[in-house]
Amino acid sequence: MQRYEYKVVPAPKKGEKAKGVRSTEGRFANALQLLMNEHGATGWEYQRTDTLPCEERVGLTGRTTTYQNLLVFRRALPEQVSALAPKLLAQHPSTEDEPESVTESRSPTIEMIGDKARSQSNAPAVGGVLKEDPGKTVSAPDVAAR
């Protein structure tokens, strides 16, 4: 099943000047075109425009409702990247075969999903390299005794 991530951005409120574009409608269309092409170049597919209410404070006790125009984009997530899929312990290699002292030379990586960064360490789940000092090792506890 294909998975998607979504991005919602505010629609432009005023037009952008361009060579040969003189009318207000043309400038506004140019601003919208630039915004959509910018997101399309990075893999985002335009889905729809929504107008949603937003309640705002006015003065000390007053409230008013304004309406915001939002553009909705989506992008397909790669099949192998599934942050929500559970991982079973049975799929990982047994820790019984590991030596008492495990030395890892791999460094942690950062995975970008949308606008959020997620840290991923390549260190083993039990024992391994301390993040403060990549050269220092830790002995693995006996998992079978638990």
Side-chain angles (χ1 to χ4, degrees), residues 34-89:
L34 291 173
L35 180 72
M36 293 176 84
N37 285 336
E38 176 185 325
H39 285 85
T42 57
W44 293 99
E45 177 186 356
Y46 172 75
Q47 290 296 298
R48 66 178 176 273
T49 300
D50 286 334
T51 302
L52 299 172
C54 178
E55 191 173 281
E56 297 176 344
R57 283 185 10 190
V58 176
L60 224 44
T61 59
R63 294 196 181 272
T64 185
T65 301
T66 60
Y67 293 90
Q68 303 294 322
N69 294 315
L70 304 168
L71 303 174
V72 180
F73 295 88
R74 81 173 180 182
R75 175 169 62 184
L77 290 174
E79 288 296 324
Q80 69 270 18
V81 176
S82 179
L84 300 177
K87 294 184 179 175
L88 301 176
L89 292 176

